[in-house]
């Protein structure tokens, strides 16, 4: 085990970023056009980075497996984006945003990164507004803010319930402008399947054209991965169908350390699963908990319809257990409480897999019109999916895998331990520690892409001035191409009996049961014995139809699921190794008498970074110790 | 519920295609339309056949990736709903469902139900942006935006780029998509400096690929985000003004 | 970076004079159709109103025909102003037709060879909007017949130049001709029903304050024109005018 150095600059936290920008090397404007940069992914982080690097004058190639950059799953974010503007004059500041984010992350994030995030948050709002993002406005024409979980100030900027969409379109349009100017070359329907290293540094990628299956190499001075999170390892999650770990996993296999893989967030307000064939879970905005009351029947055998159950037979458990925060308890806390209710067999709905989120009181108090104005579109969406009218009967909700705080380990410059390989946005292990606060993901993606990476990448590039990228006919590229091609052929040639989805579904069940909301040593050990067995069966018995030289979604899925197996194993091992409960990671062995998460700041205040050692060989464990110079560590309490 | 599907199958771009029939038995009415296709596909794979390829991703009606013609209606006959949000309870047991790809010369079929929508990106690249480099922005509150303008800009910006408008149009026109992007930017103060250049560039790029508007209004009906054809009128006006205006002498207007 | 399926080739390298450059655009063509449509609608309304004089007797209508030639009084040579109007009208008609023809070709090309298998069930498009091309062609044919019938006289054996009243009666007395006039005016009605509404969209006149009135105006205008025009053949046929 080695100790990792994040290269955090010295000095007071307020000055670190300013000083760092002065200290790092620069590339002069005329020299920028001599550099090639590859960016994988066109979500908030990827699109904003590609646009900004293009504006600066670099030659950028950007790849997306979608038909258009605008499809990336950042688009689905609903609530908003945080910034420390303090427009409402309620006492917000950069320091408070920094403090809230570190605390919300249960003290498992890197202070300097979070401070920088809070620092650039205001610039993001300025930038996006200038781009024409139609943020909500007051009647004065000035920007409106709303409050969000985990904060006592109103600092969330929003565009109706489609903030992610509007921010992504802003970044996409900036990217489109650079494409039209010729600074960025866009490759759509192209999936990155390998990172290519030469003499220990990242020099390019191998991609597959999804339409005709053509495998090609692209070389550059630096490679940036902006490929999002991996919650689809659970099969059912709030992620889009294609979200996957392949890009960062291939990088991991080439030597990039994977940090905190077990830190995944389970979001409390999703629509429960209805049957075996369900393909994804739909999130209902967290804001619903402002007016809805969460309850389950007192009696597990109660079969009455919700509205027939009298008050005396209902258990408003969040209000009972957490009287001061009540229904607004943070995501991890309320998710676990819901899980306990369902474990006690008090779940509701046909599959007894949900809890009620009841608006009857709010409708009586405020009137249906007010509720409709606040949540109308969400109620409509809920009705469309479940065929139940939430104005009449309570909604049913259940926690679902949502965001992955873990990801590739990066230093202060967002570079992985592989020189020239960067990870930004959700793909890195990021600034959220063990739990992400609402409206912070958009902030981080854009901070990385617009304001951090475009500066810090120069520090690496400056050393490679006038050195051409490794040509794509070099042996390292040829070998990588052969490897990718071999993998495709191998998947197609197994021709077993089970579909890719059946494997993925089974893997998801193992993961949600043993590495989901609550994790235990025996459970994780069980998962660690089941996952390799399932993976071995996959490689013997999967059936992938179709051909390699055509659009083949089964082949795409198979390739992604193959990587999910390996990631799942690492997640379980990381969860097993982290002997504490913090944020989204809850080990049943580590809880207070009241059943709350129990951190171990003495032994576990570190980032776990895992190094690939080969197939079927356990990864090596490295640590980056976390030092808290500004924020005092305290137990979170929401009672 | 048991259904019969009649689905367009095509092996690749420019290849001939044909309709094929599939049985979809035991479908849950709570499934979404795409989950129904998932079930059919999983059975096809089990039977060793090549599954039906279709575009999809977020499955919550926001990414705009999905979209097929269902019994002659883009995204099915439920108003304001994308294909992924259409649920099988809209259909009855024993129904026969015809599933076709979007049809337009500008969006050729790539495979089965997948079409090439990249012309939409080309239209945005032509001018669907505000030319502000990162870092050059003034404080956000220095640009007040009247609330009604912000609201109608947002109405237009809600477009998900699914191309149902083009699929629905008897002329395969791209007007609703293009005008929605134009209205989003042209209604905001930030969008004024480039308003007329943008309008000309985007309209003329659009016309390289798609047909012209004959004011049928089918696009608005098909739009999963119910974007209004009022935006098309705004685009038409801006285009004509752009063509006749001496922009060098127009000052700030 | 796949971009296939261009509807048309990219524009020619040589720049055309600005008016032709303008006319290349479909949006501009629609605007020109709207503007020429307004001219034609104005003519149709004036034509219908002027012909109403037939109900006041032969002198009134014949005098009306004569005064058209005298338009401009002593300020311009006789019939010159009428000819200027005729030329303007023909130009509006020609450009309206050319734009329609060219847009139709464009749209057929944009739609491609393969059509949807399921016949479209239109939700917003009405009969009038979908039949503009056909109603337009009917109107063109009718205008040619109408000119031959009552202006040139080639389609009317009893035609006497200048005898407007007698010519009209002689023409409409023939039942097949009356039917042609009635059918053609119904087609014209369909055409302007969509056209009057549509032209507001094409020029971008769109305002929530009056948007619904665009439909009312289309219906009202169409009703007046069609009823007015139909009154002539019907009046002759039932013997009110003879």
């Amino acid at each position: 085990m080695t100790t990792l150095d994040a290269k955090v600059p010295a000095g007071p936290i307020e000055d670190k970023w300013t000083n760092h920008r002065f200290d790092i090397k620069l590339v002069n404007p005329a020299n920028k056009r001599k550099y090639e940069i590859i960016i994988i992914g066109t979500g908030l982080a990827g699109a904003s980075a590609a646009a900004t690097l293009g504006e600066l004058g670099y030659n950028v190639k950007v790849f997306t497996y979608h038909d258009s950059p605008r499809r990336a799953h950042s688009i689905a974010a609903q609530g908003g984006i945080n910034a420390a503007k303090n427009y409402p004059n309620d006492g917000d500041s950069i320091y408070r945003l920094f403090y809230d984010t570190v605390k919300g992350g249960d003290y498992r994030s890197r202070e300097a990164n979070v401070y920088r995030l809070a620092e650039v948050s205001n610039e993001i709002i300025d930038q996006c507004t200038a781009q024409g993002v139609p943020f909500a406005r007051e009647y004065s024409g000035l920007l409106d803010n709303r409050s969000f979980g985990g904060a006592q100030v109103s600092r969330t900027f929003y565009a109706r319930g489609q903030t992610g969409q509007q921010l992504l379109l802003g970044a996409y349009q900036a990217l489109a402008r650079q494409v039209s100017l010729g600074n960025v070359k866009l490759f759509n329907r192209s999936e990155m399947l390998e990172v290519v290293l030469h003499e220990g540094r990242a020099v390019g990628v191998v991609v597959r054209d999804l339409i005709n299956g053509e495998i090609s190499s692209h070389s550059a001075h630096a490679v940036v991965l902006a490929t999002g999170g991996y919650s689809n390892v659970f099969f059912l999650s709030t992620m889009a169908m294609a979200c996957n770990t392949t890009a960062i996993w291939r990088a991991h296999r080439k030597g990039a350390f994977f940090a905190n893989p077990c830190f995944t967030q389970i979001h409390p307000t999703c629509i429960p699963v209805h049957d075996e064939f369900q393909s994804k879970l739909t999130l209902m905005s967290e804001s619903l908990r402002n007016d809805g009351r969460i309850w389950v029947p007192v009696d597990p055998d109660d079969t009455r319809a919700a509205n027939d159950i009298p008050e005396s037979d209902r258990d408003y458990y969040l209000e009972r257990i957490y009287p001061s925060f009540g229904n607004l308890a943070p995501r991890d806390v309320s998710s676990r409480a819901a899980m306990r209710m369902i474990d006690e067999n008090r779940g509701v709905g046909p599959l007894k897999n949900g809890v009620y989120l009841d608006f009857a009181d709010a409708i009586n108090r405020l009137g249906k019109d007010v509720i409709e104005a606040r949540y109308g579109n969400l109620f409509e969406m809920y009705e469309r999916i479940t065929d139940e009218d939430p104005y009449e009967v309570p909604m049913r909700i259940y926690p679902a895998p949502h965001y992955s705080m873990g990801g590739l380990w990066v230093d202060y410059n967002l570079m992985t331990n592989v020189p020239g390989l960067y990870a930004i946005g959700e793909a890195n292990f990021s600034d959220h520690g063990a739990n992400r606060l609402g409206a912070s993901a958009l902030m981080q993606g854009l901070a990385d892409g617009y304001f951090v990476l475009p500066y810090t990448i120069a520090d690496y590039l400056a050393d490679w001035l006038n050195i051409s990228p490794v040509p794509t006919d070099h042996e390292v590229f040829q070998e990588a191409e052969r490897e990718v091609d071999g993998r495709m052929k191998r998947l197609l040639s197994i021709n077993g009996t089970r579909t890719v989805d059946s494997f993925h579904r089974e893997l998801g069940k193992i993961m949600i049961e043993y590495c989901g909301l609550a994790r235990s040593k025996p459970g994780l050990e069980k998962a660690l014995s089941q996952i390799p067995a399932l993976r071995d069966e996959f490689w013997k018995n999967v059936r992938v139809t179709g051909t390699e030289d055509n659009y083949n979604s089964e082949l795409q899925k198979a390739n992604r699921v193959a990587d999910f197996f390996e990631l799942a194993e690492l997640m379980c091992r990381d969860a097993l190794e982290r002997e504490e409960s913090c944020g989204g990671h809850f080990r049943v062995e580590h809880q207070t008498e009241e059943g709350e998460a129990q951190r171990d700041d003495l032994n576990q205040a570190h980032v776990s970074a895992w190094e690939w050692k080969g197939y079927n060989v356990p990864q090596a464990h490295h640590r980056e110790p976390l030092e808290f110079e500004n924020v005092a560590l305290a137990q979170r309490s929401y009672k | 519920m048991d259904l019969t599907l009649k689905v367009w199958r095509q092996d690749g771009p420019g290849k001939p295609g044909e309709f094929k029939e599939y049985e979809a038995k035991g479908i849950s009415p709570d499934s979404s339309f795409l989950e129904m296709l998932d079930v059919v596909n999983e059975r096809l794979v089990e039977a060793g056949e090549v599954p039906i390829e279709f575009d999809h991703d977020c499955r919550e009606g926001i990414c705009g990736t999905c979209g097929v013609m269902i019994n002659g209606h883009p995204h099915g006959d439920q108003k304001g709903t994308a294909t992924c949000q259409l649920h099988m309870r809209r259909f009855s047991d024993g129904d026969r469902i015809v599933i076709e790809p979007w049809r337009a010369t500008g969006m050729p079929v790539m495979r089965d139900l997948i079409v090439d929508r990249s012309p939409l990106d080309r239209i945005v690249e032509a001018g669907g942006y505000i030319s502000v480099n990162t870092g050059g922005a003034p404080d956000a509150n220095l640009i007040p935006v009247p609330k009604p303008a912000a609201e109608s800009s947002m109405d237009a910006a809600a477009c998900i780029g699914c191309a149902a408008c083009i699929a629905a149009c008897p002329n395969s026109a791209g007007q609703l998509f293009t005008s929605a992007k134009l209205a989003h930017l042209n209604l905001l103060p930030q969008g004024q400096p480039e308003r007329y250049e943008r309008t000309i560039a985007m309209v003329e790029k659009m016309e390289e690929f798609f047909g012209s508007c004959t004011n049928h209004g089918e696009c608005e009906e098909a739009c999963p985000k119910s974007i209004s054809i009022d935006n098309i009128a705004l685009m038409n006006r801006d285009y004509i003004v752009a063509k006749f205006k001496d922009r060098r002498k127009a000052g700030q207007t | 970076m796949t971009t296939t399926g261009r509807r048309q080739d990219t524009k020619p390298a040589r720049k055309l004079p600005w008016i032709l450059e303008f006319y290349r655009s479909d949006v501009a063509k629609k605007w020109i159709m709207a503007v020429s449509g307004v001219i034609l609608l104005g003519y149709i309304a004036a034509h219908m109103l002027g012909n109403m004089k037939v109900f006041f007797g032969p002198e009134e209508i014949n005098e009306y025909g004569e005064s058209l030639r005298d338009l401009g009084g002593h300020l311009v040579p006789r019939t010159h102003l009428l000819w200027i109007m005729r030329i303007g009208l023909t130009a509006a008609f020609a450009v309206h037709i050319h734009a329609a023809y060219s847009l139709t070709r464009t749209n057929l090309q944009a739609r491609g060879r393969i059509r949807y298998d399921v016949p479209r069930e239109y939700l917003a498009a009405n009969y009038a909007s979908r039949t503009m091309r056909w109603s337009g062609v009917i109107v063109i044919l009718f205008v040619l017949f109408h000119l031959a019938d009552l202006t040139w006289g080639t389609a009317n054996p009893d035609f006497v130049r200048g005898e407007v009243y007698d010519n009209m009666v002689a023409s409409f007395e023939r039942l097949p001709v009356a039917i042609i006039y009635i059918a053609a005016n119904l087609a014209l009605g369909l055409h302007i029903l969509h056209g009057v509404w549509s032209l507001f969209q094409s020029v971008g006149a769109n305002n929530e304050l009056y948007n619904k009135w665009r439909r009312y105006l289309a219906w009202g205008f169409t009703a007046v024109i069609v009823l007015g025009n139909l009154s002539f053949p019907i009046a002759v046929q039932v013997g009110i005018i003879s």
Side-chain angles (χ1 to χ4, degrees), chain C residues 144-162:
Chain C
L144 292 174
F145 170 74
H146 183 49
L147 288 170
D149 182 24
L150 290 173
T151 304
W152 309 323
T154 42
N156 189 348
D158 303 320
F159 183 79
V160 181
R161 199 174 162 79

Side-chain angles (χ1 to χ4, degrees), chain C residues 5-212:
Chain C
R6 253 166 223 277
R7 188 197 83 196
Q8 60 190 40
D9 294 334
T10 38
K11 306 203 162 168
R14 195 167 63 87
K15 206 167 169 0
L16 297 166
W18 76 268
I19 187 73
L20 293 177
E21 197 62 45
F22 173 66
Y23 188 67
R24 286 182 61 90
S25 154
D26 300 339
V27 170
K29 280 198 187 82
K30 285 294 287 184
W31 183 77
I32 284 177
M33 283 188 78
V35 172
S36 56
V38 169
I39 295 171
L40 295 168
L41 287 169
Y43 168 75
I44 289 170
H47 184 61
M48 190 275 285
L49 280 175
N51 285 353
M52 278 294 161
K53 285 186 180 273
V54 77
F55 289 108
F56 299 93
E59 293 80 26
E60 283 269 338
I61 183 91
N62 289 354
E63 203 179 301
Y64 161 72
E66 197 50 34
S67 26
L68 282 179
R69 294 184 186 90
D70 278 335
L71 268 182
H74 298 295
L75 293 178
V76 285
R78 195 175 131 85
T79 72
H80 278 49
L81 198 55
L82 182 64
W83 271 109
I84 289 171
M85 282 171 64
R86 279 174 174 163
I87 291 166
L89 198 59
T90 312
F93 206 54
V95 77
H96 197 81
I97 292 168
H98 182 267
Y101 164 78
S102 148
L103 288 173
T104 301
R105 280 191 50 145
T106 295
N107 291 340
L108 289 174
Q109 213 178 344
R111 222 171 123 161
R113 275 183 308 107
I114 306 178
R115 300 295 166 86
Y116 292 113
D117 188 57
V118 178
R120 292 298 308 282
E121 182 190 315
Y122 291 101
L123 298 169
N126 52 33
Y127 188 76
S129 74
R130 281 181 288 119
T131 52
M132 287 302 271
R133 284 158 199 161
W134 301 116
S135 57
V137 169
I138 293 172
V139 170
I140 296 171
L141 295 174
F142 168 69
V143 166
L144 292 174
F145 170 74
H146 183 49
L147 288 170
D149 182 24
L150 290 173
T151 304
W152 309 323
T154 42
N156 189 348
D158 303 320
F159 183 79
V160 181
R161 199 174 162 79
E163 295 296 329
V164 180
Y165 188 90
D166 294 343
N167 288 342
M168 210 161 141
V169 172
S171 178
F172 293 167
E173 264 174 355
R174 298 170 293 173
L175 184 63
V177 173
I179 290 173
I180 289 175
Y181 271 87
I182 291 170
N185 270 291
L186 290 174
L188 175 70
L190 269 181
H191 199 78
I192 61 179
L193 179 62
H194 180 66
V196 170
W197 175 81
S198 174
L199 71 86
F200 286 93
Q201 280 289 106
S202 296
V203 301
N206 182 301
N207 185 325
E208 267 184 51
L209 284 176
Y210 60 70
N211 270 355
K212 63 178 177 186

Side-chain angles (χ1 to χ4, degrees), chain B residues 100 105 118 122 208 210 215, chain C residues 2-3 6-7 109 198:
Chain B
E100 300 173 75
T105 305
S118 48
R122 303 293 92 79
E208 288 178 25
F210 300 114
N215 303 322
Chain C
T2 45
T3 297
R6 253 166 223 277
R7 188 197 83 196
Q109 213 178 344
S198 174

